[in-house]
């Protein structure tokens, strides 16, 4: 199947004669085998199958296969959250004493994960502007750099990453580019087509689409040649004594080595598993992803145009607007549309933004984004409140910034709601 629409609906699962038409929920912690020898082969990674749902589960793997198909990857795995996906994607190849370069304009939770928690684990991060020059980006790399990280559309600054430039820089320095593609989804952008090597998602957002289940996903392109930089990635290219000396690149090839290691090591030890029930709900959401994204983008474009002409709005960030700093870049990477999130500033600053949000009736104040219902957030007071002013500025988050996630409601109702709330400012 080649069409993205067909992959959304049927990718990853083809039932046989008399089998369930919908992906079955295998709600079981364990799986039965006839002999210890059979199970031993699974523990030694010498056979495919399931023995404990902390590592792998058939429902989760089926849904991961659908996302893998959507992104055009070679292997994928689900995680318990988007945070877990980003942590696993980096920690799978970087450890104490290593270094990672990342865009400064990323989700606040990811920034904290990198700058605080993983720093405590001995991994150093250098943050660069998503609008840096090639020279500035090259200067951020060190001999011990293991990865480059960015977001297709930054949350909530809505910067559009120059994926091709970042990918070329990563490859010049012999490291993979990891791209969080949550906001764009593979319906609107497939980072692998622009040189990215690994893609992550918070499936909690548009992929689920209904605010019903927290989850994450990692997809590997299968193209990065780990063996070409064997000394940098010994975890993939040298024997793993916790699995009887298995070498992942030799046993599973370039296409599956990364995901197999992340599953057999990190999921085994850290247990950030997505439940089969959540995976099932995610699978349902994926079936309508292509339809929903089109409507999200259409509504957001109209809302952005309305706000940009309103006297009580000082600025609007949405890459679909002509004149937006990322308009031309979005035409390259996001020709079908970007996402349903609009960021803007209310005249009068933080106090005015809070007053505006209190008077909204349809849009709810939530620590969430990217589902069917319109919601909004003041990031400086919520998702990014752990950052200082300098870090907020680097992330593109000003004190007056309001992040509006435009849902699937009537466009007329949405604009009427925004207008009446602004009249109270």
């Amino acid at each position: 199947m080649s069409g993205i629409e067909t992959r959304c609906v049927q990718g990853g699962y083809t039932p046989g004669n008399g089998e369930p038409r919908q992906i079955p929920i295998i709600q079981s912690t364990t799986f039965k085998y006839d002999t210890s020898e059979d199970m031993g082969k699974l523990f030694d990674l010498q056979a495919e199958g399931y023995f404990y749902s902390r590592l792998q589960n058939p429902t989760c793997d089926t849904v991961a296969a659908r996302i893998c198909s959507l992104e055009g990857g070679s292997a994928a795995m689900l995680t318990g959250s988007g945070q877990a996906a980003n942590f696993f994607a980096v920690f799978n190849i970087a450890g104490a004493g290593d270094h990672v370069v990342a865009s400064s304009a990323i989700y606040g939770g990811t920034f904290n994960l990198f700058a605080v928690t993983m720093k405590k684990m001995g991994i150093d991060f250098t943050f660069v502007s998503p609008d840096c020059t090639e020279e500035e980006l090259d200067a951020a790399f060190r001999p011990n750099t293991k990865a480059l990280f960015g977001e297709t559309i930054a949350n909530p600054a809505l910067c559009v990453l120059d994926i091709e430039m970042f990918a070329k820089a990563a490859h010049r320095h012999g490291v993979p580019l990891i791209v969080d593609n949550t906001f764009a989804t593979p319906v609107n952008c497939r980072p692998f087509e622009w040189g990215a090597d690994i893609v992550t998602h918070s499936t909690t957002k548009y992929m689920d689409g209904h605010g019903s289940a927290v989850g994450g996903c990692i997809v590997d392109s299968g193209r990065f040649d780990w063996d070409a930089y064997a000394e940098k990635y010994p975890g993939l290219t040298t024997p793993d004594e916790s699995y009887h000396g298995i070498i992942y690149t030799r046993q599973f090839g370039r296409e599956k080595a990364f995901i197999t290691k992340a599953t057999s090591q990190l999921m085994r030890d850290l247990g950030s598993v997505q439940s089969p029930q959540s995976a099932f709900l995610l699978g349902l959401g994926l079936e309508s992803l292509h339809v929903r994204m089109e409507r999200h983008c259409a509504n957001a474009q109209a809302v952005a145009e309305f706000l940009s002409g309103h006297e009580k709005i000082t600025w609007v960030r949405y890459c679909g607007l002509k004149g937006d700093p990322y308009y031309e870049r979005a035409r390259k990477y996001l020709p079908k549309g970007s996402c349903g999130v609009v960021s803007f500033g209310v005249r009068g600053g933080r106090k005015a933004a809070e007053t505006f949000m209190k008077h909204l009736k349809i849009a709810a104040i939530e620590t969430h984004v990217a589902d069917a219902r319109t919601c909004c957030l003041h990031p400086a007071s919520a998702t990014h409140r752990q950052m200082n002013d300098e870090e907020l500025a680097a992330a593109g988050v000003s004190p007056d910034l309001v992040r509006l996630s435009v849902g699937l409601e009537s466009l007329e109702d949405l604009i009427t709601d925004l207008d009446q709330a602004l009249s109270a400012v």
Side-chain angles (χ1 to χ4, degrees):
M1 56 187 73
S2 58
I4 198 79
E5 300 86 354
T6 307
R7 295 184 190 204
C8 282
V9 178
Q10 296 197 25
Y13 180 63
T14 304
N17 188 42
E19 292 183 344
R21 188 67 189 91
Q22 183 53 271
I23 297 171
I25 303 173
I26 309 300
Q27 192 66 47
S28 180
T29 59
T30 50
F31 301 82
K32 178 257 185 187
Y33 286 89
D34 292 334
T35 69
S36 295
E37 288 79 10
D38 290 337
M39 184 169 282
K41 292 177 182 178
L42 297 173
F43 274 90
D44 289 346
L45 303 181
Q46 294 176 353
E48 293 186 1
Y50 302 92
F51 56 88
Y52 197 52
S53 282
R54 191 181 75 232
L55 278 86
Q56 287 180 284
N57 174 279
T59 305
C60 295
D61 282 359
T62 301
V63 177
R66 179 170 295 175
I67 298 174
C68 187
S69 174
L70 287 169
E71 287 287 6
S74 63
M77 65 185 292
L78 297 188
T79 60
S81 66
Q83 280 286 82
N86 284 333
F87 173 57
F88 277 22
V90 174
F91 196 56
N92 201 34
I93 51 177
D98 290 334
H99 173 253
V100 175
V101 180
S103 168
S104 61
I106 53 177
Y107 167 58
T110 307
F111 182 90
N112 198 73
L113 169 68
F114 291 168
V116 179
T117 301
M118 295 187 76
K119 185 176 181 179
K120 292 178 182 176
M121 302 169 71
I123 304 173
D124 195 17
F125 286 80
T126 295
F127 295 94
V128 298
S129 167
D131 301 321
C132 64
T133 64
E134 289 189 36
E135 293 74 20
E136 289 169 334
L137 186 53
D138 280 331
F141 286 84
R142 304 174 187 172
N144 62 335
T145 301
K146 295 297 182 72
L148 176 60
F149 182 94
E151 292 180 1
T152 306
I153 305 171
N155 175 13
L158 301 185
C159 309
V160 177
L161 189 71
D162 190 341
I163 302 173
E164 193 169 34
M165 187 190 87
F166 270 61
K168 288 178 179 178
H171 298 159
R172 279 197 301 273
H173 294 274
V175 305
L177 172 62
I178 304 171
V179 174
D180 184 327
N181 197 34
T182 296
F183 268 17
T185 82
V187 170
N188 286 338
C189 182
R190 303 213 305 173
F192 294 155
E193 295 176 356
W194 300 101
D197 301 288
I198 296 158
V199 160
T200 62
H201 286 277
S202 170
T203 62
T204 316
K205 310 305 190 296
Y206 288 119
M207 284 188 165
D208 172 276
H210 305 94
S212 58
V214 174
C217 185
I218 308 172
V219 186
D220 183 15
S221 68
R223 293 200 301 253
F224 190 82
D225 190 351
W226 307 105
D227 284 320
Y229 306 98
E231 73 288 348
K232 271 191 175 183
Y233 303 105
L236 287 160
T237 62
T238 61
D240 178 3
E241 298 307 326
S242 70
Y243 277 106
H244 310 291
I246 194 171
I247 299 175
Y248 292 98
T249 53
R250 185 178 301 173
Q251 180 91 6
F252 301 100
R254 191 183 302 180
E255 293 78 13
K256 294 185 177 181
F258 182 88
I259 293 296
T260 302
K261 178 178 180 294
T263 302
S264 57
Q265 280 188 355
L266 302 186
M267 195 62 83
R268 173 197 64 188
D269 295 342
L270 300 172
S272 299
V273 64
Q274 185 168 155
S275 75
Q277 181 68 52
S278 292
F280 175 79
L281 293 172
L282 170 58
L284 290 179
L286 290 170
E287 292 179 0
S288 62
L289 180 63
H290 56 297
V291 180
R292 290 185 287 104
M293 288 306 295
E294 184 176 353
R295 179 63 176 268
H296 277 297
C297 292
N299 276 1
Q301 180 71 31
V303 165
E305 291 172 0
F306 164 75
L307 291 171
S308 64
H310 201 287
E311 62 179 6
K312 293 186 179 179
I313 299 298
T314 53
W315 58 271
V316 179
R317 172 61 51 79
Y318 189 71
C319 63
L321 291 175
K322 290 184 179 179
D324 186 90
Y326 299 97
Y327 179 75
E328 291 300 329
R329 192 177 291 175
R331 291 182 68 186
K332 174 180 177 178
Y333 294 113
L334 303 156
K336 295 191 294 183
S338 57
C339 64
V341 181
V342 181
S343 291
F344 56 93
V346 181
R347 191 175 302 281
R350 179 179 294 211
K351 188 69 176 177
E354 291 173 349
T355 300
F356 159 74
M357 291 170 64
K358 286 178 184 177
H359 284 83
L360 289 168
K361 297 177 180 178
I362 293 178
I365 300 174
E366 298 178 19
T367 309
H368 196 237
V369 69
D371 70 20
R373 293 164 293 275
T374 297
C375 60
C376 64
L377 189 74
H378 185 243
S381 300
T383 55
H384 290 63
R385 69 181 296 123
Q386 79 279 5
M387 292 184 175
N388 58 38
D389 289 345
E390 184 178 315
E391 291 168 340
L392 283 170
V397 179
S398 57
D400 63 340
L401 186 153
V402 174
R403 183 188 70 184
L404 183 72
S405 176
V406 183
L408 304 179
E409 300 93 346
S410 158
L411 178 59
E412 181 180 356
D413 289 345
L414 291 174
I415 290 179
T416 298
D417 189 33
L418 293 170
D419 196 34
Q420 66 83 23
L422 285 169
S423 69
V425 175

